[in-house]
Amino acid sequence: PNKQGLYQFSSDEAGEYSAVATATDAAGNTSTAEVSISVVDTSDIDAPQIELPAEQLADYITAPTELLGTVDDQLVAGFVRV
């Protein structure tokens, strides 16, 4: 920790990391908290590749419609609903 008791985290690899902190008071009571940390590679300039099967797009879509497809990217952080 630094002089203020704070910790610093850095990583050379993108990904999901967990940090867990436990505090104990003078009476011996403890409490634990966990947080998820997402590290993103800001040098990534490649757009994700999206694939939608052609049969789903054969007709014009005129109303909200669920489409199923795939996304391929090294840094996909979740899914996107359009």
Short mmCIF file of all heavy atoms in Angstrom, two decimals:
data_model
loop_
_atom_site.label_atom_id
_atom_site.label_comp_id
_atom_site.label_asym_id
_atom_site.label_seq_id
_atom_site.Cartn_x
_atom_site.Cartn_y
_atom_site.Cartn_z
N PRO A 1 0.83 -1.20 0.00
CA PRO A 1 0.00 0.00 0.00
C PRO A 1 0.88 1.27 0.00
O PRO A 1 2.02 1.24 0.42
CB PRO A 1 -0.82 -0.10 1.27
CG PRO A 1 -0.02 -0.99 2.18
CD PRO A 1 0.74 -1.90 1.27
N ASN A 2 0.28 2.38 -0.44
CA ASN A 2 1.01 3.65 -0.38
C ASN A 2 0.85 4.27 1.01
O ASN A 2 0.30 3.64 1.92
CB ASN A 2 0.54 4.60 -1.49
CG ASN A 2 -0.91 5.01 -1.34
OD1 ASN A 2 -1.54 4.86 -0.30
ND2 ASN A 2 -1.47 5.54 -2.42
N LYS A 3 1.30 5.51 1.18
CA LYS A 3 1.24 6.16 2.49
C LYS A 3 -0.18 6.32 3.03
O LYS A 3 -0.40 6.39 4.23
CB LYS A 3 1.92 7.52 2.43
CG LYS A 3 3.40 7.44 2.21
CD LYS A 3 4.02 8.81 2.09
CE LYS A 3 5.49 8.71 1.78
NZ LYS A 3 6.10 10.04 1.62
N GLN A 4 -1.15 6.40 2.11
CA GLN A 4 -2.55 6.53 2.52
C GLN A 4 -3.23 5.18 2.72
O GLN A 4 -4.42 5.10 3.00
CB GLN A 4 -3.34 7.34 1.48
CG GLN A 4 -2.97 8.81 1.40
CD GLN A 4 -1.69 9.03 0.60
OE1 GLN A 4 -1.39 8.29 -0.33
NE2 GLN A 4 -0.94 10.04 0.97
N GLY A 5 -2.48 4.10 2.56
CA GLY A 5 -3.04 2.76 2.73
C GLY A 5 -3.78 2.25 1.51
O GLY A 5 -4.51 1.27 1.59
N LEU A 6 -3.59 2.91 0.36
CA LEU A 6 -4.27 2.52 -0.87
C LEU A 6 -3.37 1.61 -1.70
O LEU A 6 -2.15 1.77 -1.72
CB LEU A 6 -4.65 3.75 -1.69
CG LEU A 6 -5.55 4.77 -0.99
CD1 LEU A 6 -5.74 5.99 -1.88
CD2 LEU A 6 -6.88 4.15 -0.63
N TYR A 7 -4.00 0.68 -2.38
CA TYR A 7 -3.28 -0.22 -3.27
C TYR A 7 -3.50 0.20 -4.71
O TYR A 7 -4.54 0.77 -5.05
CB TYR A 7 -3.77 -1.66 -3.09
CG TYR A 7 -3.30 -2.30 -1.82
CD1 TYR A 7 -4.01 -2.12 -0.63
CD2 TYR A 7 -2.16 -3.08 -1.79
CE1 TYR A 7 -3.57 -2.70 0.55
CE2 TYR A 7 -1.72 -3.67 -0.63
CZ TYR A 7 -2.44 -3.47 0.54
OH TYR A 7 -2.00 -4.06 1.71
N GLN A 8 -2.53 -0.09 -5.56
CA GLN A 8 -2.63 0.20 -6.98
C GLN A 8 -2.52 -1.10 -7.75
O GLN A 8 -1.71 -1.96 -7.41
CB GLN A 8 -1.53 1.16 -7.41
CG GLN A 8 -1.61 1.56 -8.85
CD GLN A 8 -0.55 2.60 -9.22
OE1 GLN A 8 0.25 3.01 -8.39
NE2 GLN A 8 -0.56 3.02 -10.46
N PHE A 9 -3.34 -1.24 -8.78
CA PHE A 9 -3.33 -2.45 -9.61
C PHE A 9 -3.01 -2.06 -11.04
O PHE A 9 -3.55 -1.09 -11.56
CB PHE A 9 -4.70 -3.13 -9.56
CG PHE A 9 -4.84 -4.27 -10.53
CD1 PHE A 9 -4.28 -5.50 -10.25
CD2 PHE A 9 -5.49 -4.08 -11.73
CE1 PHE A 9 -4.40 -6.55 -11.15
CE2 PHE A 9 -5.62 -5.12 -12.64
CZ PHE A 9 -5.07 -6.35 -12.35
N SER A 10 -2.13 -2.79 -11.68
CA SER A 10 -1.88 -2.61 -13.10
C SER A 10 -1.65 -3.98 -13.71
O SER A 10 -1.23 -4.92 -13.03
CB SER A 10 -0.67 -1.69 -13.35
OG SER A 10 0.50 -2.27 -12.82
N SER A 11 -1.96 -4.09 -14.99
CA SER A 11 -1.82 -5.37 -15.67
C SER A 11 -1.38 -5.12 -17.11
O SER A 11 -1.81 -4.16 -17.74
CB SER A 11 -3.14 -6.13 -15.67
OG SER A 11 -3.02 -7.31 -16.42
N ASP A 12 -0.54 -5.99 -17.62
CA ASP A 12 -0.12 -5.93 -19.02
C ASP A 12 -1.05 -6.73 -19.91
O ASP A 12 -0.89 -6.72 -21.12
CB ASP A 12 1.31 -6.47 -19.17
CG ASP A 12 2.33 -5.56 -18.51
OD1 ASP A 12 2.07 -4.35 -18.40
OD2 ASP A 12 3.39 -6.08 -18.09
N GLU A 13 -2.01 -7.43 -19.32
CA GLU A 13 -2.93 -8.27 -20.09
C GLU A 13 -4.37 -7.83 -19.86
O GLU A 13 -4.79 -7.61 -18.72
CB GLU A 13 -2.78 -9.73 -19.70
CG GLU A 13 -1.45 -10.34 -20.10
CD GLU A 13 -1.42 -11.83 -19.87
OE1 GLU A 13 -2.46 -12.48 -20.04
OE2 GLU A 13 -0.35 -12.33 -19.51
N ALA A 14 -5.13 -7.72 -20.96
CA ALA A 14 -6.56 -7.42 -20.86
C ALA A 14 -7.27 -8.62 -20.26
O ALA A 14 -6.84 -9.75 -20.41
CB ALA A 14 -7.13 -7.10 -22.25
N GLY A 15 -8.35 -8.34 -19.56
CA GLY A 15 -9.14 -9.43 -18.98
C GLY A 15 -9.91 -8.98 -17.77
O GLY A 15 -9.93 -7.80 -17.42
N GLU A 16 -10.57 -9.93 -17.13
CA GLU A 16 -11.34 -9.68 -15.92
C GLU A 16 -10.52 -10.12 -14.71
O GLU A 16 -9.98 -11.22 -14.69
CB GLU A 16 -12.66 -10.46 -15.95
CG GLU A 16 -13.63 -9.99 -17.01
CD GLU A 16 -14.20 -8.62 -16.70
OE1 GLU A 16 -14.52 -8.35 -15.52
OE2 GLU A 16 -14.32 -7.82 -17.64
N TYR A 17 -10.44 -9.27 -13.72
CA TYR A 17 -9.70 -9.57 -12.50
C TYR A 17 -10.62 -9.31 -11.31
O TYR A 17 -11.53 -8.50 -11.38
CB TYR A 17 -8.46 -8.69 -12.40
CG TYR A 17 -7.47 -8.93 -13.51
CD1 TYR A 17 -7.56 -8.25 -14.72
CD2 TYR A 17 -6.46 -9.86 -13.36
CE1 TYR A 17 -6.66 -8.48 -15.74
CE2 TYR A 17 -5.55 -10.10 -14.39
CZ TYR A 17 -5.66 -9.40 -15.57
OH TYR A 17 -4.77 -9.64 -16.59
N SER A 18 -10.35 -9.98 -10.20
CA SER A 18 -11.10 -9.78 -8.97
C SER A 18 -10.17 -9.25 -7.90
O SER A 18 -9.02 -9.65 -7.80
CB SER A 18 -11.71 -11.10 -8.48
OG SER A 18 -12.70 -11.53 -9.36
N ALA A 19 -10.69 -8.32 -7.11
CA ALA A 19 -9.96 -7.81 -5.96
C ALA A 19 -10.83 -8.07 -4.73
O ALA A 19 -12.03 -7.80 -4.74
CB ALA A 19 -9.69 -6.32 -6.11
N VAL A 20 -10.22 -8.61 -3.69
CA VAL A 20 -10.94 -8.92 -2.46
C VAL A 20 -10.25 -8.19 -1.31
O VAL A 20 -9.03 -8.23 -1.18
CB VAL A 20 -10.93 -10.45 -2.18
CG1 VAL A 20 -11.65 -10.75 -0.88
CG2 VAL A 20 -11.56 -11.20 -3.34
N ALA A 21 -11.05 -7.51 -0.51
CA ALA A 21 -10.53 -6.80 0.66
C ALA A 21 -11.25 -7.31 1.91
O ALA A 21 -12.46 -7.51 1.89
CB ALA A 21 -10.73 -5.31 0.52
N THR A 22 -10.49 -7.53 2.96
CA THR A 22 -11.07 -7.95 4.24
C THR A 22 -10.60 -6.98 5.32
O THR A 22 -9.41 -6.68 5.40
CB THR A 22 -10.63 -9.39 4.59
OG1 THR A 22 -11.04 -10.27 3.55
CG2 THR A 22 -11.24 -9.84 5.90
N ALA A 23 -11.53 -6.50 6.12
CA ALA A 23 -11.21 -5.60 7.23
C ALA A 23 -11.59 -6.28 8.54
O ALA A 23 -12.61 -6.96 8.63
CB ALA A 23 -11.97 -4.29 7.08
N THR A 24 -10.75 -6.09 9.54
CA THR A 24 -11.00 -6.64 10.87
C THR A 24 -10.88 -5.51 11.89
O THR A 24 -9.89 -4.79 11.89
CB THR A 24 -9.99 -7.75 11.21
OG1 THR A 24 -10.03 -8.75 10.18
CG2 THR A 24 -10.29 -8.39 12.55
N ASP A 25 -11.89 -5.38 12.76
CA ASP A 25 -11.82 -4.33 13.78
C ASP A 25 -11.19 -4.89 15.06
O ASP A 25 -10.84 -6.07 15.14
CB ASP A 25 -13.19 -3.70 14.03
CG ASP A 25 -14.21 -4.66 14.61
OD1 ASP A 25 -13.83 -5.75 15.10
OD2 ASP A 25 -15.42 -4.33 14.58
N ALA A 26 -11.05 -4.02 16.05
CA ALA A 26 -10.40 -4.40 17.31
C ALA A 26 -11.13 -5.52 18.04
O ALA A 26 -10.54 -6.29 18.80
CB ALA A 26 -10.26 -3.18 18.22
N ALA A 27 -12.44 -5.65 17.81
CA ALA A 27 -13.23 -6.69 18.47
C ALA A 27 -13.14 -8.03 17.72
O ALA A 27 -13.71 -9.01 18.15
CB ALA A 27 -14.69 -6.25 18.57
N GLY A 28 -12.46 -8.03 16.59
CA GLY A 28 -12.32 -9.26 15.83
C GLY A 28 -13.40 -9.48 14.78
O GLY A 28 -13.45 -10.51 14.13
N ASN A 29 -14.30 -8.51 14.63
CA ASN A 29 -15.34 -8.61 13.60
C ASN A 29 -14.71 -8.37 12.23
O ASN A 29 -13.89 -7.46 12.07
CB ASN A 29 -16.44 -7.57 13.84
CG ASN A 29 -17.08 -7.76 15.19
OD1 ASN A 29 -17.54 -8.84 15.54
ND2 ASN A 29 -17.11 -6.69 15.98
N THR A 30 -15.11 -9.18 11.27
CA THR A 30 -14.55 -9.02 9.93
C THR A 30 -15.65 -8.80 8.90
O THR A 30 -16.79 -9.21 9.09
CB THR A 30 -13.72 -10.25 9.50
OG1 THR A 30 -14.58 -11.38 9.45
CG2 THR A 30 -12.57 -10.51 10.45
N SER A 31 -15.26 -8.16 7.84
CA SER A 31 -16.15 -7.94 6.70
C SER A 31 -15.30 -8.04 5.44
O SER A 31 -14.14 -7.61 5.43
CB SER A 31 -16.81 -6.56 6.80
OG SER A 31 -17.70 -6.39 5.71
N THR A 32 -15.88 -8.61 4.40
CA THR A 32 -15.16 -8.79 3.15
C THR A 32 -15.97 -8.20 2.01
O THR A 32 -17.19 -8.31 1.97
CB THR A 32 -14.91 -10.30 2.88
OG1 THR A 32 -14.16 -10.83 3.97
CG2 THR A 32 -14.15 -10.52 1.59
N ALA A 33 -15.27 -7.58 1.07
CA ALA A 33 -15.90 -7.04 -0.14
C ALA A 33 -15.08 -7.48 -1.35
O ALA A 33 -13.86 -7.61 -1.27
CB ALA A 33 -15.98 -5.53 -0.08
N GLU A 34 -15.77 -7.72 -2.45
CA GLU A 34 -15.09 -8.13 -3.68
C GLU A 34 -15.58 -7.25 -4.82
O GLU A 34 -16.75 -6.89 -4.89
CB GLU A 34 -15.40 -9.60 -3.98
CG GLU A 34 -14.69 -10.13 -5.21
CD GLU A 34 -14.87 -11.62 -5.42
OE1 GLU A 34 -15.54 -12.27 -4.59
OE2 GLU A 34 -14.34 -12.14 -6.40
N VAL A 35 -14.66 -6.91 -5.70
CA VAL A 35 -15.00 -6.10 -6.86
C VAL A 35 -14.34 -6.72 -8.09
O VAL A 35 -13.27 -7.30 -8.00
CB VAL A 35 -14.56 -4.62 -6.68
CG1 VAL A 35 -13.06 -4.50 -6.60
CG2 VAL A 35 -15.11 -3.75 -7.78
N SER A 36 -15.03 -6.63 -9.22
CA SER A 36 -14.49 -7.12 -10.48
C SER A 36 -13.89 -5.95 -11.24
O SER A 36 -14.49 -4.87 -11.32
CB SER A 36 -15.61 -7.76 -11.31
OG SER A 36 -15.10 -8.22 -12.54
N ILE A 37 -12.71 -6.14 -11.79
CA ILE A 37 -11.99 -5.09 -12.51
C ILE A 37 -11.80 -5.55 -13.95
O ILE A 37 -11.27 -6.63 -14.20
CB ILE A 37 -10.61 -4.82 -11.87
CG1 ILE A 37 -10.78 -4.43 -10.41
CG2 ILE A 37 -9.85 -3.77 -12.66
CD1 ILE A 37 -9.49 -4.46 -9.63
N SER A 38 -12.24 -4.72 -14.89
CA SER A 38 -12.06 -5.02 -16.32
C SER A 38 -10.88 -4.23 -16.84
O SER A 38 -10.85 -3.00 -16.74
CB SER A 38 -13.30 -4.64 -17.13
OG SER A 38 -14.41 -5.40 -16.73
N VAL A 39 -9.90 -4.93 -17.39
CA VAL A 39 -8.74 -4.28 -18.00
C VAL A 39 -8.89 -4.40 -19.51
O VAL A 39 -9.09 -5.49 -20.04
CB VAL A 39 -7.42 -4.95 -17.54
CG1 VAL A 39 -6.23 -4.35 -18.27
CG2 VAL A 39 -7.26 -4.83 -16.03
N VAL A 40 -8.84 -3.25 -20.20
CA VAL A 40 -9.05 -3.19 -21.64
C VAL A 40 -7.75 -2.80 -22.32
O VAL A 40 -7.03 -1.92 -21.85
CB VAL A 40 -10.16 -2.16 -21.97
CG1 VAL A 40 -10.37 -2.04 -23.46
CG2 VAL A 40 -11.45 -2.54 -21.28
N ASP A 41 -7.48 -3.43 -23.44
CA ASP A 41 -6.31 -3.10 -24.25
C ASP A 41 -6.69 -1.93 -25.16
O ASP A 41 -7.37 -2.10 -26.16
CB ASP A 41 -5.89 -4.31 -25.09
CG ASP A 41 -4.70 -4.03 -25.97
OD1 ASP A 41 -4.17 -2.90 -25.96
OD2 ASP A 41 -4.26 -4.95 -26.68
N THR A 42 -6.26 -0.73 -24.81
CA THR A 42 -6.64 0.46 -25.57
C THR A 42 -5.92 0.56 -26.92
O THR A 42 -6.27 1.40 -27.73
CB THR A 42 -6.37 1.74 -24.76
OG1 THR A 42 -4.99 1.77 -24.40
CG2 THR A 42 -7.24 1.78 -23.51
N SER A 43 -4.95 -0.31 -27.16
CA SER A 43 -4.27 -0.30 -28.46
C SER A 43 -5.01 -1.14 -29.49
O SER A 43 -4.62 -1.16 -30.66
CB SER A 43 -2.83 -0.80 -28.31
OG SER A 43 -2.82 -2.19 -27.99
N ASP A 44 -6.07 -1.82 -29.08
CA ASP A 44 -6.86 -2.64 -30.01
C ASP A 44 -7.59 -1.72 -30.98
O ASP A 44 -8.45 -0.95 -30.58
CB ASP A 44 -7.86 -3.50 -29.24
CG ASP A 44 -8.76 -4.32 -30.14
OD1 ASP A 44 -8.40 -4.55 -31.31
OD2 ASP A 44 -9.84 -4.74 -29.68
N ILE A 45 -7.25 -1.80 -32.27
CA ILE A 45 -7.89 -0.96 -33.28
C ILE A 45 -8.74 -1.78 -34.24
O ILE A 45 -9.31 -1.25 -35.18
CB ILE A 45 -6.85 -0.14 -34.07
CG1 ILE A 45 -5.85 -1.07 -34.76
CG2 ILE A 45 -6.15 0.86 -33.16
CD1 ILE A 45 -4.93 -0.38 -35.72
N ASP A 46 -8.80 -3.09 -34.03
CA ASP A 46 -9.58 -3.96 -34.90
C ASP A 46 -11.04 -4.02 -34.45
O ASP A 46 -11.33 -4.26 -33.29
CB ASP A 46 -9.00 -5.38 -34.90
CG ASP A 46 -7.57 -5.42 -35.43
OD1 ASP A 46 -7.28 -4.66 -36.37
OD2 ASP A 46 -6.77 -6.20 -34.90
N ALA A 47 -11.93 -3.78 -35.40
CA ALA A 47 -13.36 -3.85 -35.09
C ALA A 47 -13.78 -5.30 -34.90
O ALA A 47 -13.21 -6.21 -35.52
CB ALA A 47 -14.16 -3.23 -36.24
N PRO A 48 -14.79 -5.55 -34.07
CA PRO A 48 -15.30 -6.92 -33.92
C PRO A 48 -15.89 -7.41 -35.24
O PRO A 48 -16.40 -6.61 -36.04
CB PRO A 48 -16.41 -6.79 -32.87
CG PRO A 48 -16.24 -5.46 -32.26
CD PRO A 48 -15.48 -4.61 -33.21
N GLN A 49 -15.82 -8.69 -35.48
CA GLN A 49 -16.42 -9.30 -36.66
C GLN A 49 -17.80 -9.83 -36.27
O GLN A 49 -17.93 -10.58 -35.31
CB GLN A 49 -15.55 -10.44 -37.18
CG GLN A 49 -14.16 -10.01 -37.59
CD GLN A 49 -14.19 -9.00 -38.72
OE1 GLN A 49 -14.84 -9.21 -39.73
NE2 GLN A 49 -13.49 -7.89 -38.53
N ILE A 50 -18.83 -9.43 -37.02
CA ILE A 50 -20.20 -9.83 -36.73
C ILE A 50 -20.72 -10.68 -37.87
O ILE A 50 -20.50 -10.37 -39.04
CB ILE A 50 -21.11 -8.60 -36.56
CG1 ILE A 50 -20.58 -7.73 -35.43
CG2 ILE A 50 -22.55 -9.02 -36.31
CD1 ILE A 50 -21.30 -6.42 -35.29
N GLU A 51 -21.41 -11.77 -37.52
CA GLU A 51 -21.99 -12.64 -38.53
C GLU A 51 -23.46 -12.87 -38.22
O GLU A 51 -23.82 -13.28 -37.13
CB GLU A 51 -21.26 -13.99 -38.54
CG GLU A 51 -21.75 -14.92 -39.62
CD GLU A 51 -20.97 -16.23 -39.64
OE1 GLU A 51 -19.74 -16.21 -39.44
OE2 GLU A 51 -21.60 -17.27 -39.83
N LEU A 52 -24.30 -12.55 -39.20
CA LEU A 52 -25.72 -12.81 -39.10
C LEU A 52 -26.10 -13.73 -40.25
O LEU A 52 -25.82 -13.41 -41.41
CB LEU A 52 -26.55 -11.52 -39.21
CG LEU A 52 -26.41 -10.54 -38.05
CD1 LEU A 52 -27.09 -9.23 -38.38
CD2 LEU A 52 -27.00 -11.14 -36.78
N PRO A 53 -26.70 -14.87 -39.96
CA PRO A 53 -27.09 -15.78 -41.03
C PRO A 53 -28.02 -15.09 -42.04
O PRO A 53 -28.97 -14.40 -41.65
CB PRO A 53 -27.80 -16.91 -40.30
CG PRO A 53 -27.24 -16.86 -38.91
CD PRO A 53 -26.99 -15.40 -38.65
N ALA A 54 -27.76 -15.27 -43.33
CA ALA A 54 -28.51 -14.61 -44.39
C ALA A 54 -30.01 -14.92 -44.35
O ALA A 54 -30.83 -14.06 -44.66
CB ALA A 54 -27.94 -14.99 -45.75
N GLU A 55 -30.37 -16.12 -43.93
CA GLU A 55 -31.80 -16.47 -43.91
C GLU A 55 -32.59 -15.59 -42.95
O GLU A 55 -33.79 -15.39 -43.11
CB GLU A 55 -32.02 -17.95 -43.60
CG GLU A 55 -31.54 -18.40 -42.23
CD GLU A 55 -30.09 -18.87 -42.20
OE1 GLU A 55 -29.37 -18.70 -43.19
OE2 GLU A 55 -29.68 -19.40 -41.17
N GLN A 56 -31.94 -15.03 -41.95
CA GLN A 56 -32.64 -14.13 -41.03
C GLN A 56 -32.89 -12.76 -41.66
O GLN A 56 -33.73 -12.02 -41.20
CB GLN A 56 -31.82 -13.94 -39.76
CG GLN A 56 -31.71 -15.18 -38.90
CD GLN A 56 -31.04 -14.87 -37.59
OE1 GLN A 56 -31.50 -14.02 -36.84
NE2 GLN A 56 -29.95 -15.54 -37.31
N LEU A 57 -32.13 -12.45 -42.69
CA LEU A 57 -32.25 -11.13 -43.31
C LEU A 57 -32.90 -11.18 -44.69
O LEU A 57 -32.87 -10.21 -45.43
CB LEU A 57 -30.85 -10.50 -43.42
CG LEU A 57 -30.10 -10.39 -42.09
CD1 LEU A 57 -28.69 -9.89 -42.32
CD2 LEU A 57 -30.84 -9.49 -41.12
N ALA A 58 -33.49 -12.32 -45.05
CA ALA A 58 -34.06 -12.51 -46.38
C ALA A 58 -35.21 -11.54 -46.65
O ALA A 58 -35.40 -11.08 -47.77
CB ALA A 58 -34.53 -13.95 -46.56
N ASP A 59 -36.01 -11.22 -45.66
CA ASP A 59 -37.13 -10.29 -45.81
C ASP A 59 -36.78 -8.99 -45.09
O ASP A 59 -35.91 -8.95 -44.23
CB ASP A 59 -38.40 -10.88 -45.20
CG ASP A 59 -38.83 -12.16 -45.90
OD1 ASP A 59 -38.71 -12.22 -47.14
OD2 ASP A 59 -39.25 -13.10 -45.19
N TYR A 60 -37.47 -7.93 -45.45
CA TYR A 60 -37.27 -6.68 -44.74
C TYR A 60 -37.81 -6.81 -43.33
O TYR A 60 -38.86 -7.40 -43.10
CB TYR A 60 -38.00 -5.54 -45.46
CG TYR A 60 -37.35 -5.15 -46.75
CD1 TYR A 60 -37.90 -5.54 -47.96
CD2 TYR A 60 -36.18 -4.40 -46.76
CE1 TYR A 60 -37.29 -5.19 -49.16
CE2 TYR A 60 -35.58 -4.05 -47.95
CZ TYR A 60 -36.13 -4.45 -49.15
OH TYR A 60 -35.53 -4.11 -50.31
N ILE A 61 -37.10 -6.24 -42.40
CA ILE A 61 -37.53 -6.25 -41.00
C ILE A 61 -38.27 -4.94 -40.76
O ILE A 61 -37.71 -3.86 -40.94
CB ILE A 61 -36.32 -6.40 -40.06
CG1 ILE A 61 -35.63 -7.74 -40.34
CG2 ILE A 61 -36.75 -6.28 -38.61
CD1 ILE A 61 -34.33 -7.91 -39.62
N THR A 62 -39.53 -5.05 -40.36
CA THR A 62 -40.36 -3.85 -40.18
C THR A 62 -40.81 -3.66 -38.73
O THR A 62 -41.55 -2.73 -38.44
CB THR A 62 -41.60 -3.92 -41.09
OG1 THR A 62 -42.35 -5.09 -40.74
CG2 THR A 62 -41.20 -3.96 -42.56
N ALA A 63 -40.38 -4.54 -37.85
CA ALA A 63 -40.75 -4.44 -36.44
C ALA A 63 -39.60 -5.00 -35.61
O ALA A 63 -38.73 -5.69 -36.14
CB ALA A 63 -42.03 -5.24 -36.18
N PRO A 64 -39.60 -4.70 -34.30
CA PRO A 64 -38.55 -5.28 -33.47
C PRO A 64 -38.51 -6.80 -33.65
O PRO A 64 -39.53 -7.48 -33.60
CB PRO A 64 -38.97 -4.90 -32.05
CG PRO A 64 -39.79 -3.66 -32.23
CD PRO A 64 -40.50 -3.86 -33.54
N THR A 65 -37.33 -7.31 -33.94
CA THR A 65 -37.15 -8.72 -34.26
C THR A 65 -35.88 -9.22 -33.60
O THR A 65 -34.86 -8.55 -33.63
CB THR A 65 -37.03 -8.90 -35.79
OG1 THR A 65 -38.18 -8.33 -36.41
CG2 THR A 65 -36.92 -10.35 -36.17
N GLU A 66 -35.95 -10.40 -33.02
CA GLU A 66 -34.76 -11.00 -32.42
C GLU A 66 -33.94 -11.66 -33.51
O GLU A 66 -34.44 -12.48 -34.29
CB GLU A 66 -35.16 -12.03 -31.36
CG GLU A 66 -33.95 -12.60 -30.65
CD GLU A 66 -34.35 -13.50 -29.49
OE1 GLU A 66 -35.19 -13.08 -28.68
OE2 GLU A 66 -33.82 -14.60 -29.43
N LEU A 67 -32.68 -11.28 -33.60
CA LEU A 67 -31.74 -11.89 -34.54
C LEU A 67 -30.66 -12.58 -33.73
O LEU A 67 -30.17 -12.03 -32.75
CB LEU A 67 -31.10 -10.82 -35.43
CG LEU A 67 -32.04 -10.03 -36.33
CD1 LEU A 67 -31.27 -8.91 -37.02
CD2 LEU A 67 -32.69 -10.94 -37.35
N LEU A 68 -30.28 -13.75 -34.15
CA LEU A 68 -29.20 -14.47 -33.48
C LEU A 68 -28.00 -14.50 -34.39
O LEU A 68 -28.10 -14.84 -35.56
CB LEU A 68 -29.64 -15.89 -33.13
CG LEU A 68 -30.83 -15.99 -32.17
CD1 LEU A 68 -31.22 -17.44 -31.98
CD2 LEU A 68 -30.50 -15.35 -30.84
N GLY A 69 -26.85 -14.13 -33.85
CA GLY A 69 -25.63 -14.12 -34.64
C GLY A 69 -24.44 -14.35 -33.72
O GLY A 69 -24.60 -14.69 -32.55
N THR A 70 -23.27 -14.14 -34.25
CA THR A 70 -22.06 -14.31 -33.46
C THR A 70 -21.19 -13.07 -33.58
O THR A 70 -21.22 -12.35 -34.57
CB THR A 70 -21.25 -15.54 -33.92
OG1 THR A 70 -20.88 -15.37 -35.29
CG2 THR A 70 -22.03 -16.82 -33.76
N VAL A 71 -20.40 -12.83 -32.55
CA VAL A 71 -19.42 -11.74 -32.53
C VAL A 71 -18.09 -12.36 -32.16
O VAL A 71 -17.99 -13.13 -31.22
CB VAL A 71 -19.81 -10.66 -31.50
CG1 VAL A 71 -18.73 -9.60 -31.43
CG2 VAL A 71 -21.15 -10.05 -31.83
N ASP A 72 -17.06 -12.00 -32.92
CA ASP A 72 -15.72 -12.51 -32.65
C ASP A 72 -14.77 -11.33 -32.47
O ASP A 72 -14.63 -10.50 -33.37
CB ASP A 72 -15.25 -13.40 -33.81
CG ASP A 72 -13.89 -14.04 -33.53
OD1 ASP A 72 -13.54 -14.20 -32.35
OD2 ASP A 72 -13.19 -14.34 -34.51
N ASP A 73 -14.19 -11.22 -31.31
CA ASP A 73 -13.24 -10.16 -31.02
C ASP A 73 -12.48 -10.57 -29.77
O ASP A 73 -13.04 -11.19 -28.87
CB ASP A 73 -13.96 -8.83 -30.79
CG ASP A 73 -12.99 -7.67 -30.71
OD1 ASP A 73 -12.62 -7.16 -31.77
OD2 ASP A 73 -12.61 -7.29 -29.59
N GLN A 74 -11.22 -10.20 -29.71
CA GLN A 74 -10.43 -10.55 -28.53
C GLN A 74 -10.91 -9.84 -27.28
O GLN A 74 -10.70 -10.30 -26.18
CB GLN A 74 -8.96 -10.20 -28.77
CG GLN A 74 -8.29 -11.07 -29.80
CD GLN A 74 -6.84 -10.67 -30.00
OE1 GLN A 74 -6.45 -9.55 -29.77
NE2 GLN A 74 -6.05 -11.62 -30.44
N LEU A 75 -11.56 -8.69 -27.45
CA LEU A 75 -11.91 -7.88 -26.29
C LEU A 75 -13.39 -7.66 -26.12
O LEU A 75 -13.81 -6.67 -25.54
CB LEU A 75 -11.20 -6.52 -26.41
CG LEU A 75 -9.69 -6.60 -26.46
CD1 LEU A 75 -9.10 -5.24 -26.71
CD2 LEU A 75 -9.12 -7.20 -25.19
N VAL A 76 -14.22 -8.56 -26.62
CA VAL A 76 -15.66 -8.40 -26.42
C VAL A 76 -15.95 -8.45 -24.93
O VAL A 76 -15.61 -9.41 -24.25
CB VAL A 76 -16.46 -9.48 -27.18
CG1 VAL A 76 -17.93 -9.43 -26.80
CG2 VAL A 76 -16.30 -9.30 -28.67
N ALA A 77 -16.57 -7.38 -24.44
CA ALA A 77 -16.81 -7.28 -23.01
C ALA A 77 -18.22 -7.68 -22.62
O ALA A 77 -18.62 -7.56 -21.48
CB ALA A 77 -16.56 -5.84 -22.55
N GLY A 78 -19.00 -8.16 -23.54
CA GLY A 78 -20.38 -8.54 -23.24
C GLY A 78 -21.14 -8.63 -24.53
O GLY A 78 -20.58 -8.87 -25.58
N PHE A 79 -22.44 -8.41 -24.45
CA PHE A 79 -23.22 -8.47 -25.67
C PHE A 79 -23.89 -7.12 -25.88
O PHE A 79 -24.05 -6.33 -24.96
CB PHE A 79 -24.26 -9.60 -25.62
CG PHE A 79 -25.41 -9.33 -24.70
CD1 PHE A 79 -26.57 -8.76 -25.19
CD2 PHE A 79 -25.32 -9.61 -23.35
CE1 PHE A 79 -27.63 -8.49 -24.35
CE2 PHE A 79 -26.37 -9.34 -22.50
CZ PHE A 79 -27.54 -8.78 -23.00
N VAL A 80 -24.28 -6.88 -27.10
CA VAL A 80 -24.94 -5.63 -27.45
C VAL A 80 -26.31 -5.95 -27.99
O VAL A 80 -26.47 -6.81 -28.85
CB VAL A 80 -24.13 -4.86 -28.52
CG1 VAL A 80 -24.87 -3.61 -28.95
CG2 VAL A 80 -22.75 -4.54 -28.00
N ARG A 81 -27.30 -5.27 -27.48
CA ARG A 81 -28.66 -5.42 -28.00
C ARG A 81 -28.95 -4.20 -28.85
O ARG A 81 -28.84 -3.08 -28.38
CB ARG A 81 -29.66 -5.56 -26.86
CG ARG A 81 -31.09 -5.69 -27.36
CD ARG A 81 -32.00 -6.09 -26.27
NE ARG A 81 -31.77 -7.52 -26.05
CZ ARG A 81 -32.27 -8.19 -25.02
NH1 ARG A 81 -32.98 -7.60 -24.13
NH2 ARG A 81 -32.04 -9.49 -24.91
N VAL A 82 -29.32 -4.43 -30.10
CA VAL A 82 -29.57 -3.32 -31.03
C VAL A 82 -31.06 -3.26 -31.31
O VAL A 82 -31.71 -4.24 -31.46
CB VAL A 82 -28.79 -3.53 -32.34
CG1 VAL A 82 -29.06 -2.39 -33.29
CG2 VAL A 82 -27.32 -3.67 -32.05
#
